[in-house]
Each structure stands twice: as structure tokens, then as C-alpha cells.
Amino acid sequence: VRSNLNYFTDREDHKIFLITSSISGEGKTFSTINLATVIAYSGKKTLIIGADLRRPRIYNDFGLTNDFGLSSYLTGHLKLDEIIQHTSIDNLDLISAGPVPPNPSELLMRPEVDDLMKKLKDKYDYIIVDTPPVGLVTDAFILSRIADHTIFISRQNYTPKSSIESINE
């Protein structure tokens, strides 16, 4: 997958990938972790942003905490260097979602998101944003403005065929 993405992106630097799907359980987080790990193993400085502010869980897969994260930064409670967590994998960092806010979509619409991405592009070669399903909430659509590329995950015998039709639209 990494090789194919490099081919389609013309080997440009500072790639921001947004990973989404139509419904829960299709493998967004699994795909995010595996893609980010392979990129980090190739020596590229990689960051995962857990942008599912409603049901955060990616931090668990790394044995890290969700006591602070993206929501903490967007609400002005913490600075950037206070929300980045280092994983056990060389070159791979994580910004978890942080405490569940009462207004996830509104937080993601703030200009602070754009400012955050500008700062992160200077620090990382690749940024992979793990989002909630696009078929359930608008958060992935809102975040699409910051992504260079969107990866839509579908799962055989699981993803509704109508969701595939929606992608084409």
C-alpha cells in the first residue's frame, strides 16, 4: 500500500492522509496503524492524529493515554508539544483525540485545526488522520480540507454497497 501511495502521490513530501469509511468496523484504525508503522519503519517521521473525538480508541493500541490530545489543543488547554506522545516505534508519534468534548464537529471547524496542521507539516514527513465514519457524522468531511489525500476503507462482505455508490457521487 505504501508503495502504491508513493506512486500516486508523485513522491511529494509532507503528505497528509485522511482515513475514513462509511460505518464502524471497516478497519480504519487498523489500516491507520499499519500504514503509519510501515512508513515510520522506512525512516520517515510520521504522526498519527486520532481525530475521532466522539469515540477515541487508537491510543489504546499503543498503550498510551487519552487524558490529553487534539481536543485539549483545540480548546486552548494545552500547547502542541504537550499533546504529542511518542510510541514504541521509532519515527512514529501520536496525537490522541483527548477528552471527549461536547461539540466535536464545532471544534474541528476551528481555524486552530489549520494552524495545527501547518506546524505539524514542518515537523513530520507524513501525517495520517484517523477519523470517524463519514457515513455517520460530518467530522471526516470537515477535516477533508486539511488532507492532501483521502483513503476510504471498505471491507468485503461488510461495507454496504450503497456506501460504495456514495463515494462515486
Side-chain angles (χ1 to χ4, degrees):
V1 172
R2 178 182 51 85
S3 297
N4 285 336
L5 291 175
N6 279 340
Y7 175 78
F8 286 111
T9 59
D10 253 353
R11 303 186 202 304
E12 65 202 36
D13 286 336
H14 302 294
K15 297 177 195 86
I16 300 175
F17 291 99
L18 183 135
I19 298 186
T20 193
S21 71
S22 59
I23 59 174
S24 294
E26 290 175 295
K28 288 177 298 302
T29 299
F30 176 82
S31 298
T32 297
I33 291 169
N34 283 292
L35 179 60
T37 299
V38 168
I39 292 170
Y41 281 156
S42 74
K44 298 291 185 180
K45 192 105 172 88
T46 308
L47 175 72
I48 295 173
I49 299 177
D52 189 342
L53 299 181
R54 298 165 196 275
R55 294 180 56 205
R57 64 175 273 264
I58 197 165
Y59 67 93
N60 233 2
D61 294 314
F62 291 102
L64 299 172
T65 182
N66 194 50
D67 294 340
F68 52 88
L70 183 59
S71 64
S72 309
Y73 178 85
L74 295 178
T75 56
H77 289 97
L78 294 175
K79 295 179 182 172
L80 176 57
D81 60 337
E82 297 173 311
I83 63 168
I84 297 173
Q85 299 183 66
H86 303 289
T87 70
S88 61
I89 300 166
D90 287 343
N91 297 313
L92 181 58
D93 291 341
L94 171 74
I95 294 177
S96 66
V100 177
N103 54 348
S105 294
E106 288 76 15
L107 270 183
L108 296 174
M109 287 190 278
R110 289 186 176 184
E112 287 86 348
V113 172
D114 302 283
D115 296 336
L116 172 65
M117 296 313 291
K118 286 177 189 170
K119 292 175 186 174
L120 292 172
K121 282 175 113 175
D122 291 337
K123 290 182 74 148
Y124 293 94
D125 299 310
Y126 288 82
I127 301 168
I128 302 175
V129 184
D130 184 45
T131 69
V134 74
L136 301 178
V137 293
T138 62
D139 299 359
F141 280 125
I142 293 168
L143 288 169
S144 66
R145 75 181 190 277
I146 55 106
D148 297 316
H149 311 281
T150 299
I151 299 172
F152 193 94
I153 304 295
S154 63
R155 184 172 165 189
Q156 183 177 3
N157 296 324
Y158 189 86
T159 302
K161 289 183 181 173
S162 61
S163 297
I164 303 299
E165 293 164 4
S166 296
I167 298 170
N168 290 331
E169 290 175 12

